[in-house]
Amino acid sequence: MAAAVTDLDRAPVAFGRWAVPQLFSELQQPEAARRLPALASLCDLMHDPERLYETVNGGFLEQLKVLLQDEDPSVRRKTCELLHLLTAHSIGRRALLASSLLPPLSELLDDSSSSCRRNVLQVLNRLAELPAGAAALLTLVPKLMLTLRQEEEDEEEEELLLSTLSCCSKLNALPALASDGVSLLGHKLSHSSPNIRREAAAAMMELSVPLDGKRQVCELQVLPVLVGLLQDEDVEVQTNAAGVIMNTVIITAGKLQCLDLHVIPVLLQLLSEKQEKEEERRRRKALVLYSLRALTALAEAPVGRRLLLEQLPVLVRRSEEEDQDIQQAAQTAIGVITWTP
């Protein structure tokens, strides 16, 4: 028995445990006019954790594979929306990773429908937040990079791409580095949107962890842009830029470039800014830590040590803070600056 339905865009939904199986049986019909209402009703049901659990554990996911390759763009779009809703829950993400849907899903990164592409990117981004998901998506990194290179108009899609690349590169930065990632992300650092700048700098921070990434950041002249971002109005943009600089000044080329760019006064200014409210201090903690660690590395260069010896009071004040992480980082910096052979 089916419940009464007044919305003509949705299929009638059976009561109880028959609801999900009945709608998936409708998806087997050849007419798009029957598949689309069934998909719409399934999307509604996925807001109910019990129905989502039934979908995952009932073995229905594999039936969506053929719909991802459907000739009707509306069917593809709605199927991607269904997967987006499924991956809002951890059980859905794990089930999708265990399925055979990722290859056909990734093919839709080039779909003609912007809403379809956006749903695909949202699904991939949610998967990438899991270590197993990031690992599964590493083979897609070259394609994601190519998509990012071609994506210039939709800010939301760019942001999702960058976020996904950042998650994947946190696990393994080499695929992105091999796909011209530093150069591509470097261009995104100057984007007018703070969201794009933030995500691009976050991804760049992951790429600057391996030695090859540090070298590329130096060789491709990314550091001048990053030093400029230390004065960005968005704290997260500042933080991520400081993180890249912190990673890069470990090597000699990074130290020398940053010293030539007069980064020490900028980093000290970030440490000198007072945060009266606890919330502001928490929000800026990573920025302060990255700045202290960058200064510690710069103090290993004679020029950097001389400059920082004149500014010890700033670091001493930080070494007296209640936050133990900041206190320890400041003490380490002071130890390197004042060290004598």
Side-chain angles (χ1 to χ4, degrees), residues 103-116:
L105 183 67
S106 64
E107 290 298 318
L108 296 182
L109 286 168
D110 302 319
D111 198 85
S112 57
S113 165
S114 60
S115 58
C116 182

Side-chain angles (χ1 to χ4, degrees), residues 74-283:
S74 298
V75 171
R76 298 196 302 272
R77 176 181 58 80
K78 206 66 181 175
T79 304
C80 291
E81 181 182 338
L82 177 60
L83 288 174
H84 177 219
L85 293 168
L86 275 165
T87 52
H89 299 264
S90 60
I91 186 175
R93 292 193 287 271
R94 290 195 299 270
L96 182 54
L97 286 172
S99 75
S100 62
L101 297 183
L102 278 182
L105 183 67
S106 64
E107 290 298 318
L108 296 182
L109 286 168
D110 302 319
D111 198 85
S112 57
S113 165
S114 60
S115 58
C116 182
R117 294 194 305 272
R118 194 173 301 115
N119 277 321
V120 172
L121 288 168
Q122 287 170 330
V123 170
L124 296 180
N125 189 236
R126 282 176 171 171
L127 292 178
E129 292 171 357
L130 296 174
L137 296 180
L138 283 176
T139 56
L140 277 180
V141 166
K143 183 175 180 63
L144 292 173
M145 280 294 183
L146 182 61
T147 305
L148 181 64
R149 190 183 300 278
Q150 297 168 342
E151 186 54 65
E152 294 290 344
E153 297 179 1
D154 194 306
E155 184 179 313
E156 185 180 355
E157 288 185 32
E158 275 192 83
E159 187 179 345
L160 286 165
L161 275 165
L162 288 166
S163 176
T164 303
L165 286 165
S166 181
C167 292
C168 291
S169 298
K170 185 186 292 289
L171 185 70
N172 185 350
L174 298 183
L177 286 172
S179 302
D180 203 23
V182 171
S183 175
L184 180 55
L185 294 175
H187 292 298
K188 300 295 181 182
L189 292 173
S190 302
H191 200 282
S192 59
S193 165
N195 293 334
I196 301 299
R197 295 198 302 276
R198 181 188 66 244
E199 294 298 340
M204 186 73 80
M205 182 160 55
E206 304 304 337
L207 296 196
S208 64
V209 172
L211 179 58
D212 185 41
K214 301 182 203 304
R215 288 172 175 161
Q216 288 191 39
V217 168
C218 294
E219 292 167 2
L220 297 173
Q221 296 298 308
V222 178
L223 283 170
V225 183
L226 291 164
V227 172
L229 291 182
L230 291 176
Q231 297 173 306
D232 198 278
E233 294 181 359
D234 188 291
V235 173
E236 291 185 60
V237 174
Q238 289 180 302
T239 300
N240 294 336
V244 184
I245 292 170
M246 171 190 70
N247 289 337
T248 308
V249 293
I250 291 174
I251 65 173
T252 301
K255 285 184 178 66
L256 295 177
Q257 278 195 36
C258 282
L259 288 169
D260 287 343
L261 292 165
H262 308 291
V263 75
I264 286 180
V266 182
L267 292 171
L268 288 169
Q269 179 60 41
L270 292 174
L271 296 180
S272 302
E273 293 177 9
K274 295 181 178 179
Q275 301 93 46
E276 301 296 337
K277 296 182 180 179
E278 180 64 27
E279 180 182 349
E280 181 71 9
R281 282 198 293 270
R282 284 198 303 270
R283 199 160 67 96

Side-chain angles (χ1 to χ4, degrees), residues 302-337:
V303 174
R305 181 177 288 112
R306 285 198 299 271
L307 290 170
L308 288 166
L309 276 170
E310 300 170 2
Q311 302 294 332
L312 272 181
V314 176
L315 300 172
V316 170
R317 283 195 296 273
R318 286 295 184 178
S319 71
E320 296 169 348
E321 287 201 15
E322 293 181 4
D323 188 292
Q324 291 187 350
D325 295 328
I326 291 177
Q327 184 184 108
Q328 184 176 1
Q331 289 171 352
T332 300
I334 293 168
V336 173
I337 294 165

